[in-house]
């Protein structure tokens, strides 16, 4: 059924029914939740952190290969990531959603199932928002309020600090490249979480991709983690690293452009060693098949939502430090918990300098660190 046949009041009643929790406890900080003109919360002694992010159809996502569940989950994750990147813990969520009148009711509730799964995963409460019709493309926006004792900004780095990044980078960008090249049949299977089975001597599960005038095949076990990283990112819990961090940012637009933002705010330079930048085996293999440079994807690709942070040189943070993400409790656990619950490496990729910003290749040759990554209005 289309949403216009359901009606706004009925939709809002159902949202309130699904997302209004049991009577609020003192610990929740919630006085009035969904149902009034505004929510009422009682701030604790901790600092409040507030962030908002927008996702526009055709700019941030393509419904040709994005299903509603991961889209809803991602909407929450990208906002939660900003809170965690400042050392905070997410607590409350406000949603603004604009859909076309002919939007399908199943799509709408699929979107909310993804949102609900993320709320459970990050232990966040939905307190309200707005629902609107749209003349053209869908628009999604979320605001997250978090709390924290120690707030970590982009501006705290000092010369001599080491630069660290969690997990691997470039996976999401590579996942997007795979999505762009999927044949129609494989695209449909990715949307429904089913993958192409191709027989070549022995049966292998493959995705078919368009590569120029030919078709190439990518093993599902290589593609799947890269697709997950793009379609359903999981925000990194900064709790294990925030006690040591002097500055921090999440990698949303690209490793190099976000590092430059951190340096701008800290009024410093940086030296990065290219051979230390962590990339996954899956990304290397997929990039090779597609004729892409894995290092470029790792340094300039966006939407990894890893933590990029600095720490004093005398702090003993091992490159093999295990950082656990949030424990995700979600209906279809195969989609996210394998990735979310694994220990994550923290890798030192360089150090903060006084002014110059350079990259060093494996031969020791230095070049300028360029602020490359995603920018909405394409400024050089």
């Amino acid at each position: 059924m289309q949403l216009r046949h359901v009606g706004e009041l009925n939709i809002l009643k159902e949202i309130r029914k699904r997302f209004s929790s049991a009577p609020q406890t003192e610990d929740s900080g919630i006085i009035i939740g969904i149902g009034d003109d505004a929510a009422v919360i009682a701030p604790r002694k901790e600092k409040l952190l507030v962030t908002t992010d927008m996702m526009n159809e055709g700019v941030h996502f393509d419904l040709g290969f994005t299903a509603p569940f991961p889209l809803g989950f991602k909407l929450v994750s990208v906002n939660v990531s900003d809170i965690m990147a400042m050392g905070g813990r997410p607590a409350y969520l406000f949603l603004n959603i604009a859909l076309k009148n002919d939007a399908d009711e199943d799509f709408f509730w699929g979107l909310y199932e993804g949102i609900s799964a993320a709320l459970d995963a990050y232990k966040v409460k939905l307190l309200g928002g707005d629902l609107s019709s749209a003349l053209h493309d869908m628009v999604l926006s979320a605001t997250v309020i978090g709390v924290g004792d120690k707030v970590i900004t982009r501006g705290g780095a000092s010369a001599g600090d080491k630069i660290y990044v969690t997990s691997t980078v470039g996976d999401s960008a590579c996942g997007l490249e795979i999505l762009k090249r999927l044949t129609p049949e494989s695209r449909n299977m990715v949307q429904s979480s089913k993958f192409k089975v191709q027989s070549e001597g022995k049966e292998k599960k493959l995705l078919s991709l368009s590569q120029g005038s030919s078709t190439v095949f990518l093993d599902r076990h290589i593609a799947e983690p890269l697709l997950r990283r793009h379609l359903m990112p999981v925000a990194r819990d900064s709790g294990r690293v925030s006690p040591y961090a002097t500055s921090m940012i999440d990698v949303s637009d690209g490793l190099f452009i976000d590092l430059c933002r951190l340096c701008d705010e800290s009024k410093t330079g940086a030296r990065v060693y290219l051979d230390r930048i962590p990339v996954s085996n899956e990304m290397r293999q997929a990039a090779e098949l597609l004729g892409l440079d894995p290092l470029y994807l790792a340094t300039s690709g966006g939407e990894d939502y890893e933590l990029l942070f600095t720490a004093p040189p005398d702090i003993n943070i091992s490159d093999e430090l295990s950082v656990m993400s949030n424990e995700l409790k979600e209906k279809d656990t195969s989609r996210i918990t394998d990735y979310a619950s694994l220990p994550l490496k923290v890798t030192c990729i360089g150090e903060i300098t006084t002014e110059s910003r350079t990259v060093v290749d494996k031969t020791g040759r230095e070049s300028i660190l360029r602020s490359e990554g995603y920018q909405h209005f394409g400024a050089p």
Side-chain angles (χ1 to χ4, degrees):
M1 184 183 298
Q2 294 180 349
L3 291 182
R4 61 182 174 180
H5 296 137
V6 180
E8 180 183 0
L9 292 179
N10 289 326
I11 295 170
L12 293 177
K13 284 180 181 178
E14 184 63 23
I15 291 174
R16 185 176 184 183
K17 177 182 175 183
R18 295 190 186 195
F19 289 90
S20 290
S21 53
Q24 308 300 341
T25 64
E26 184 178 348
D27 290 342
S28 73
I30 303 171
I31 307 301
I32 299 174
I34 297 175
D36 224 303
D37 287 332
V40 180
I41 58 176
R44 307 164 187 171
K45 293 181 180 179
E46 300 151 305
K47 299 177 179 67
L48 290 181
L49 297 85
V50 183
T51 188
T52 188
D53 225 325
M54 182 184 298
M55 292 173 60
N56 292 343
E57 182 182 352
V59 176
H60 298 94
F61 62 92
D62 183 341
L63 292 179
F65 46 66
T66 303
F69 183 97
L71 181 60
F73 192 95
K74 184 173 184 177
L75 175 63
V76 179
S77 284
V78 299
N79 283 275
V80 165
S81 181
D82 284 335
I83 297 294
M84 290 182 170
M86 295 190 71
R89 303 183 306 280
Y92 314 113
L93 176 83
F94 294 86
L95 278 176
N96 294 311
I97 296 179
L99 299 171
K100 290 182 284 189
N101 264 344
D102 61 356
D104 184 74
E105 187 181 8
D106 288 340
F107 179 94
F108 180 82
W109 291 118
L111 183 72
Y112 264 87
E113 284 178 11
I115 292 168
S116 179
L119 295 179
D120 290 343
Y122 301 121
K123 298 179 176 60
V124 175
K125 299 294 185 183
L126 178 65
L127 294 189
D130 197 14
L131 181 65
S132 173
S133 60
L135 294 179
H136 302 293
D137 294 333
M138 181 190 315
V139 179
L140 310 174
S141 177
T143 297
V144 172
I145 298 176
V147 296
D149 297 316
K150 176 187 176 183
V151 174
I152 304 166
T153 69
R154 303 174 181 182
S158 300
D161 284 356
K162 293 182 179 180
I163 303 169
Y164 295 88
V165 67
T166 59
S167 189
T168 56
V169 286
D171 289 347
S172 177
C174 191
L176 178 59
E177 290 297 329
I178 293 171
L179 288 170
K180 289 177 178 178
R181 301 170 195 230
L182 290 172
T183 61
E185 183 180 2
S186 284
R187 178 174 288 199
N188 291 337
M189 291 179 179
V190 166
Q191 256 201 329
S192 60
S193 299
K194 295 178 182 178
F195 292 82
K196 187 179 180 66
V197 176
Q198 188 78 14
S199 295
E200 294 178 357
K202 61 179 182 178
E203 189 173 77
K204 293 179 68 176
K205 294 182 178 179
L206 302 172
L207 288 178
S208 55
L209 311 175
S210 298
Q211 180 75 337
S213 59
S214 61
T215 300
V216 296
F217 297 94
L218 182 61
D219 191 291
R220 164 188 172 172
H221 299 296
I222 296 173
E224 190 172 26
L226 304 175
L227 295 174
R228 285 182 192 164
R229 288 290 301 273
H230 182 75
L231 294 173
M232 240 175 126
V234 177
R236 297 298 180 212
D237 188 343
S238 61
R240 291 284 300 278
V241 300
S242 58
Y244 315 105
T246 54
S247 67
M248 189 153 55
I249 187 174
D250 67 336
V251 182
S252 55
D253 292 330
L255 179 66
F256 277 3
I257 192 172
D258 288 324
L259 176 57
C260 285
R261 287 167 175 157
L262 186 150
C263 290
D264 287 343
E265 293 301 316
S266 296
K267 297 179 173 56
T268 64
R271 180 180 292 107
V272 175
Y273 301 93
L274 294 179
D275 60 347
R276 295 187 190 177
I277 294 174
V279 298
S280 68
N281 290 331
E282 291 88 352
M283 196 269 272
R284 284 190 186 277
Q285 293 179 67
E288 181 180 357
L289 179 71
L290 299 175
L292 302 172
D293 179 2
L295 194 57
Y296 181 79
L297 293 174
T299 58
S300 303
E303 296 197 293
D304 282 309
Y305 300 103
E306 298 298 340
L307 296 174
L308 177 66
F309 66 98
T310 59
D314 57 344
I315 298 289
N316 184 20
I317 302 181
S318 168
D319 286 355
E320 301 299 322
L321 175 68
S322 293
V323 179
M324 300 299 291
S325 292
N326 297 55
E327 293 180 3
L328 301 180
K329 297 177 182 178
E330 192 264 323
K331 296 177 183 177
D332 185 3
T333 57
S334 64
R335 295 191 184 190
I336 51 177
T337 47
D338 288 347
Y339 171 62
S341 61
L342 288 174
L344 299 173
K345 286 198 309 183
V346 173
T347 305
C348 178
I349 62 171
E351 61 263 352
I352 295 295
T353 61
T354 53
E355 293 182 3
S356 62
R357 300 179 186 179
T358 59
V359 294
V360 183
D361 66 18
K362 61 183 179 181
T363 69
R365 186 181 63 178
E366 294 190 1
S367 58
I368 296 173
L369 192 160
R370 301 190 181 281
S371 180
E372 294 179 331
Y374 182 78
Q375 298 185 69
H376 277 284
F377 298 102

